[in-house]
Amino acid sequence: MFKKFSVKEDVTGHTQVKSSVQRAIRAKILEQYKEGIEGIIDDVMPKKTPLILMRCHEHINLIVMNNEVLFFNHFDGPYFPTLRLLHKYPNMLPRLQVDRGAIKFVMAGANIMCPGLTSKGARMDVSVPADSVVAITAEGKHEILAVGTTKMSTDDIKRINKNIGVETAHYLNDCLWKTVVDI
Amino acid sequence: MADSPDAPSSEHVQPREITYCGFCSLPPEYCEFGPTLEKCKQWLSKHDKVTYAILYNTLEDHLAAATLGEDKPEEDKKKAKEAAKIEKQMQKKMQSKVLIKRIERTKRKCVTSVFGLENFDVDLKKAAKLFANKFACGSSVTKNNQGNDEIVVQGDVSDEIFDLILEHWPIVPEDNIDLIEDKKKGK
């Protein structure tokens, strides 16, 4: 999603949203991440701080607060937290671990294939249904490498062990990672 | 850094502090997958000795082990190429000039145009605002005939801008700033 992206070219406009909209976004994020975020939402998104919505090409929205991109979503799909936010609160999302060999491909923007999630170095300790937002860590690493949505449930990943398991939305060193927002 | 993430506590969760590599901006443990491992290592050994020791002492073995198996030579070449590319970009950046130009408008009036600041990651709009505040004059970002952005400041403030740039954006090397005076009969 962010293989090519630059604030200068791809952002069509940014607005400070109305407080009602802000509440709606907040509610949606809360609903989406439930346990993962309840304790921290006030730290992540204080109610009173103005929230800025950046609209970008291809229906991508960035949610910016205090000059930091916190979440992004596509069209009206789920909100993904950015990696910088995830590094601060790594327990927000269920985590899947890929093996070492997959790291360099993920960091080049590849989707995560099932074998990378089922091989020896990989781990899937949680079971999640299809189409849920997950964080990707890697064998021997502590930090989160990428964020994506599962294309099939973890059980299916184990069973089928073929094709794309997780669709990568945002990964380390992509253009969103490098983006510095300054409004 | 090195602690593994704890289980979520029901209490108030503090954000984790995380240091990113000062060179490639990745978390240090991922530097090895970036194109500039050598530079990152240098940076880390200077700034965070503990992490450096943890990461690279074990990593060296890992890398050595990994090298034996796969198609490493090709990979190395690729990486070197990428590193060279980044190096070149950096060099280019350091060589690019900032032009401060005094342009005559009418007999005694002139404007000052500043060109090339964006190469040093300066936000032009912010800079324009700063100039406007500082010199109490009009200042705006405009496109010149080549389609590049430049800042146009009303009035002759070239010397002051020279100093201000040096003061405000220390990354701009002094030698790279050029003062030019447009000749009256130029146009």
Side-chain angles (χ1 to χ4, degrees):
Chain A
M1 206 185 271
F2 292 104
K3 203 156 194 182
K4 264 198 191 130
F5 182 81
S6 82
V7 175
K8 214 171 170 187
E9 282 162 30
D10 291 312
V11 175
T12 43
H14 59 84
T15 43
Q16 187 182 327
V17 296
K18 287 191 290 189
S19 63
S20 60
V21 178
Q22 183 169 351
R23 252 179 288 137
I25 291 173
R26 191 188 156 93
K28 203 177 163 197
I29 290 171
L30 262 178
E31 191 201 326
Q32 201 184 325
Y33 295 120
K34 292 190 182 102
E35 328 71 75
I37 203 171
E38 248 155 24
I40 55 175
I41 185 93
D42 284 328
D43 288 347
V44 177
M45 298 171 86
K47 273 181 191 155
K48 298 289 177 191
T49 319
L51 186 148
I52 289 158
L53 190 68
M54 280 181 129
R55 291 183 190 280
C56 316
H57 285 300
E58 293 167 26
H59 301 289
I60 291 171
N61 298 318
L62 305 182
I63 292 172
V64 182
M65 206 177 246
N66 295 333
N67 280 342
E68 258 181 82
V69 185
L70 297 181
F71 294 91
F72 60 92
N73 79 334
H74 179 245
F75 210 48
D76 42 9
Y79 286 95
F80 296 91
T82 56
L83 283 169
R84 280 181 210 272
L85 181 67
L86 269 176
H87 285 155
K88 284 185 199 154
Y89 302 99
N91 291 314
M92 253 171 91
L93 296 179
R95 275 185 307 223
L96 307 179
Q97 183 178 313
V98 295
D99 57 27
R100 201 185 149 79
I103 301 177
K104 77 171 182 223
F105 297 108
V106 176
M107 281 180 70
N111 291 326
I112 293 151
M113 311 309 254
C114 291
L117 288 164
T118 51
S119 68
K120 209 173 122 210
R123 276 169 71 179
M124 286 194 291
D125 296 336
V126 282
S127 74
V128 286
D131 289 324
S132 51
V133 179
V134 289
I136 307 292
T137 57
E139 177 186 359
K141 309 281 177 196
H142 298 297
E143 302 303 334
I144 289 165
L145 171 68
V147 197
T149 44
T150 50
K151 292 308 272 181
M152 41 179 128
S153 68
T154 44
D155 294 336
D156 275 349
I157 291 177
K158 279 179 199 150
R159 203 160 44 82
I160 300 172
N161 205 8
K162 234 184 195 178
N163 299 337
I164 296 169
V166 178
E167 200 175 60
T168 312
H170 171 37
Y171 52 92
L172 272 186
N173 227 4
D174 68 355
C175 288
L176 180 63
W177 170 263
K178 289 176 190 155
T179 299
V180 182
V181 179
D182 200 2
I183 302 166
Chain B
M1 259 311 322
D3 63 330
S4 55
D6 315 303
S9 57
S10 53
E11 293 297 297
H12 191 76
V13 186
Q14 285 295 324
R16 277 183 344 128
E17 289 288 325
I18 177 165
T19 2
Y20 294 114
C21 171
F23 198 80
C24 64
S25 85
L26 297 175
E29 47 179 28
Y30 285 106
C31 283
E32 49 167 324
F33 292 97
T36 52
L37 178 59
E38 284 310 311
K39 290 272 169 59
C40 298
K41 266 184 175 173
Q42 276 171 24
W43 183 86
L44 197 66
S45 63
K46 244 180 242 161
H47 289 80
D48 194 346
K49 294 224 166 65
V50 185
T51 325
Y52 182 79
I54 294 170
L55 276 181
Y56 290 110
N57 283 346
T58 51
L59 206 123
E60 226 75 303
D61 315 337
H62 255 284
L63 274 184
T67 325
L68 291 177
E70 292 153 48
D71 48 349
K72 256 309 186 321
E74 197 179 309
E75 186 123 310
D76 276 347
K77 228 184 250 169
K78 218 180 194 177
K79 269 204 178 144
K81 225 179 206 174
E82 218 163 303
K85 199 169 149 199
I86 289 181
E87 184 94 335
K88 225 180 242 170
Q89 269 174 356
M90 282 287 265
Q91 256 176 24
K92 206 173 174 191
K93 189 172 148 191
M94 286 340 277
Q95 274 172 5
S96 58
K97 296 246 172 200
V98 175
L99 302 179
I100 302 175
K101 207 178 198 177
R102 177 167 170 264
I103 307 165
E104 299 259 355
R105 274 290 140 91
T106 54
K107 274 172 205 157
R108 290 169 47 244
K109 312 251 167 156
C110 54
V111 296
T112 314
S113 96
V114 183
F115 176 72
L117 265 184
E118 72 273 15
N119 295 333
F120 294 93
D121 298 324
V122 175
D123 187 343
L124 289 186
K125 258 191 192 163
K126 285 256 168 77
K129 189 72 195 164
L130 175 82
F131 293 153
N133 280 341
K134 194 83 179 178
F135 307 125
C137 65
S139 169
S140 64
V141 181
T142 45
K143 283 219 157 71
N144 63 6
N145 341 353
Q146 278 92 48
N148 299 321
D149 279 331
E150 60 177 19
I151 303 176
V152 174
V153 187
Q154 292 175 12
D156 179 11
V157 284
S158 31
D159 295 332
E160 287 95 325
I161 283 187
F162 185 87
D163 296 335
L164 191 64
I165 288 175
L166 287 181
E167 190 184 314
H168 237 265
W169 297 284
I171 48 161
V172 184
E174 191 173 347
D175 301 339
N176 285 17
I177 307 179
D178 278 1
L179 289 174
I180 307 174
E181 210 156 308
D182 232 12
K183 293 281 145 3
K184 209 175 181 179
K185 292 283 174 216
K187 278 183 191 172

